[in-house]
């Protein structure tokens, strides 16, 4: 089998995957104004279901035609769902503010049930809008019936969505690739689910549809919502292609290898086509696979470079509420690598406060702590963090940084050199309830009865070498290492900064 043939399974698969990726990108772009979310998602599933069915051709044209035709109704439905989403967000913020254990069970159950219900309704209603024309109230009824019939598959797709969000946060540096893969998979599986259910519904109403077709003018080249597709043009090309294949069979040119014969065959097919027919032919058979190949090569180069840089980097650090000088940054990076005797290809990095996107104020919003900082530490963006005294009390917890007694000889330092973390009574009360960072990373629970040395105060000499402000104290803390080699790098850096470890 020649995998380069336009109709080969491999090429069909490449076209399908590429078209789904393009549809997802169009949907993301059209969702940016937020108010257009409903129309964009409806158009996405309209095109994706046509792609999977093998109906029509093209992506951009059908997407925007469906976007325009369904805009009014899809936006109306989206505004209704948006009100529900705002209520859900408000309820969850209230639960988090009040404390999970302090909130009544019936209230938590109601919020969870409502959240799942709105999620399932969002999944079901927009593909229904894409497929059928009906009143808004009937749409909600149809979507509810769809949820009841396909509850388990829809719940699994919901779990896949949650998993994709976690994966995008966990592997933040690989976000584009993770998002492209998970979003395309979700679109594909939900489209397949909708197609099967819609086909059953349409089969059950076959007699009514026949009567409808006999009573009104029916054009088989018209799609489900009245858009004229390129199916007719594709059919003409197929017929023309078939004629050319017959001519090729008569000639039976056996010269050259299989690839050169394939090139000759394609040239023969294009020879008698008009410019417009050539464009349509290339758009249908070669553009999707070409775009996908370019994306795959680009992703491979991008992530290969990223992996190489990560592998070559010995340490990556940052400074919160501090601004080291250029000489200080060079001291912590190139100076350390030379002192440690690392290979010349190895790298190190130190980011200052303006590059970390953290507030310079003493009060920190929860979103910075729970999202930005946690994601950057857990995903390995930073191996160590230097914090000014007004930030160390906020960020130095065992959730982020490891016990320094595992890295340094405590006898080489005094008790005043460390910042000790002491678990509060509220944190002790929550211990064992829910999933902790230790559970996620497979670490054992901390014995928090005793203070834990989390951060080590920089000496005056270390501050001067880094070019930090003399008017404040600074501490350094180290993220959890996944190998003994990483811990050895940490100990070397401590010895480099302090002259002892």
């Amino acid at each position: 089998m020649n995998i380069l043939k336009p109709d080969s399974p491999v090429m069909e698969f490449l076209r399908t995957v590429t078209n789904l990726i393009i549809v997802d990108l169009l949907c993301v772009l059209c969702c940016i104004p937020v108010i257009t979310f409903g129309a964009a998602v409806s158009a996405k599933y309209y095109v994706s279901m046509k792609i999977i069915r093998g109906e029509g051709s093209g992506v951009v044209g059908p997407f925007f035609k469906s976007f325009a035709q369904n805009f009014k109704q899809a936006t109306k439905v989206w505004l209704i769902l948006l009100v529900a989403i705002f209520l859900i967000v408000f309820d969850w913020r209230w639960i988090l503010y009040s404390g999970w254990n302090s909130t009544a069970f019936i209230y938590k159950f109601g919020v969870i049930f409502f959240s799942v219900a709105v999620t399932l309704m969002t999944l079901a209603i927009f593909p229904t809008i894409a497929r059928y024309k009906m009143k808004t109230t009937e749409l909600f009824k149809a979507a509810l019936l769809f949820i009841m019939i396909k509850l388990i598959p829809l719940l699994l797709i919901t779990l896949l969505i949650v998993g994709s969000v976690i994966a995008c946060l966990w592997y933040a540096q690989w976000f584009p690739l993770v998002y492209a893969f998970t979003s395309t998979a979700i679109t594909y599986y939900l489209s397949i689910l909708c197609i099967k259910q819609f086909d059953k519904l349409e089969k059950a109403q076959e007699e009514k549809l026949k009567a409808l077709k006999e009573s009104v003018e029916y054009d088989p080249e018209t799609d489900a919502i009245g858009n004229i597709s390129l199916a007719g043009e594709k059919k003409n090309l197929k017929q023309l292609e078939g004629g050319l294949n017959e001519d090729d069979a008569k000639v039976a040119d056996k010269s050259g290898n299989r690839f050169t014969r394939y090139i000759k065959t394609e040239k023969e097919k294009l020879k008698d086509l008009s410019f417009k027919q050539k464009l349509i032919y290339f758009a249908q058979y070669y553009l999707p696979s070409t775009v996908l190949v370019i994306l795959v090569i680009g992703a491979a180069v991008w992530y290969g470079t990223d992996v190489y840089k990560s592998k070559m980097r010995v340490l990556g650090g940052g400074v919160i509420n501090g601004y080291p000088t250029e000489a200080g940054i060079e001291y912590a990076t190139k100076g350390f690598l030379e002192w440690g005797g690392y290979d010349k290809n190895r790298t190190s990095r130190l980011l200052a406060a303006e590059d970390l996107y953290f507030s310079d104020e003493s009060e920190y919003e929860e979103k910075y702590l729970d999202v930005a900082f946690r994601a950057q530490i857990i995903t390995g963006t930073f191996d160590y963090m230097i914090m000014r005294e007004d930030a160390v009390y906020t960020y130095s917890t065992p959730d982020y940084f490891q016990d320094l007694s595992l890295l340094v000889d405590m006898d080489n330092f005094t008790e005043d050199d460390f910042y000790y973390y002491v678990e509060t009574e509220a944190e002790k009360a929550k211990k064992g309830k829910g999933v902790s960072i230790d559970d996620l990373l497979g670490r054992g629970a901390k014995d928090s009865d005793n203070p834990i040395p989390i951060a080590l105060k920089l000496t005056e000499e270390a501050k001067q070498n880094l070019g930090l402000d003399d008017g404040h104290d600074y501490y350094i803390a180290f993220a959890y290492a996944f190998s003994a080699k990483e811990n050895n790098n940490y100990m070397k850096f401590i010895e480099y900064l302090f002259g002892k470890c």
Side-chain angles (χ1 to χ4, degrees), residues 56-157:
S57 62
V59 173
V60 179
F63 179 90
F64 285 106
K65 285 181 180 179
S66 176
F67 182 90
Q69 291 186 356
N70 291 321
F71 181 82
K72 185 176 180 180
Q73 186 175 47
T75 303
K76 183 178 179 180
V77 169
W78 169 237
L79 290 176
I80 295 173
L81 292 174
L82 195 58
V83 172
I85 292 171
F86 276 132
L87 291 175
I88 291 172
V89 171
F90 176 81
D91 287 333
W92 278 112
R93 285 180 63 88
W94 190 85
I95 289 175
L96 294 175
Y97 177 79
S98 301
W100 180 262
N101 295 324
S102 303
T103 307
F105 171 78
I106 188 65
Y107 184 81
K108 292 186 290 188
F109 177 81
V111 173
I112 293 173
F113 178 83
F114 190 41
S115 301
V116 173
V118 171
T119 301
L120 295 178
M121 180 60 69
T122 304
L123 289 176
I125 199 165
F126 292 114
T128 307
I129 293 174
R131 187 70 179 178
Y132 301 109
K133 280 192 173 183
M134 56 180 70
K135 294 180 180 179
T136 303
T137 53
E138 294 175 346
L139 273 173
F140 278 98
K141 291 178 182 178
L144 181 59
L145 181 61
F146 181 75
I147 293 170
M148 294 172 65
I149 295 173
K150 296 293 183 180
L151 179 61
I152 301 302
L154 286 173
L155 286 175
L156 292 176
I157 291 174

Side-chain angles (χ1 to χ4, degrees), residues 186-258:
I186 291 166
T187 300
Y188 177 81
Y189 286 117
L190 183 55
S191 298
I192 288 289
L193 185 67
C194 292
I195 288 171
K196 290 181 178 179
Q197 183 57 34
F198 293 158
D199 285 347
K200 288 181 181 180
L201 176 63
E202 291 163 10
K203 187 176 181 180
Q205 297 179 342
E206 185 176 358
E207 293 301 323
K208 292 183 179 180
L209 290 175
K210 285 182 179 180
L212 177 63
K213 290 176 182 179
E214 292 173 358
S215 63
V216 298
E217 183 180 354
Y218 175 71
D219 183 358
E221 298 297 338
T222 304
D223 58 34
I225 64 171
N227 289 338
I228 303 298
S229 67
L230 293 177
E233 194 65 37
K234 184 175 181 179
K235 183 178 180 181
N236 293 335
L237 282 174
K238 287 279 188 180
Q239 292 174 349
L240 180 59
E241 186 179 335
L244 289 172
N245 286 337
E246 290 176 4
D247 294 337
D248 292 341
K250 292 177 183 178
V251 175
D253 184 5
K254 299 294 184 180
S255 62
N257 56 38
R258 180 177 293 182

Side-chain angles (χ1 to χ4, degrees), residues 385-387 392 396 402 404 407-410 412-420 453-459 473-478 494-495 497-498 500-501:
M385 194 65 70
I386 296 173
M387 295 164 281
V392 68
S396 292
Q402 61 173 309
L404 282 175
L407 295 177
V408 303
D409 184 348
M410 300 293 287
N412 289 337
F413 300 89
T414 67
E415 187 174 335
D416 293 337
D417 292 332
F418 294 95
Y419 168 77
Y420 288 88
I454 292 293
L456 181 60
K457 184 190 294 185
L458 296 183
T459 61
D473 288 332
Y474 288 85
Y475 292 78
I476 185 170
F478 291 86
I494 293 172
E495 186 177 355
L497 290 178
F498 296 90
K500 55 188 176 181
C501 183

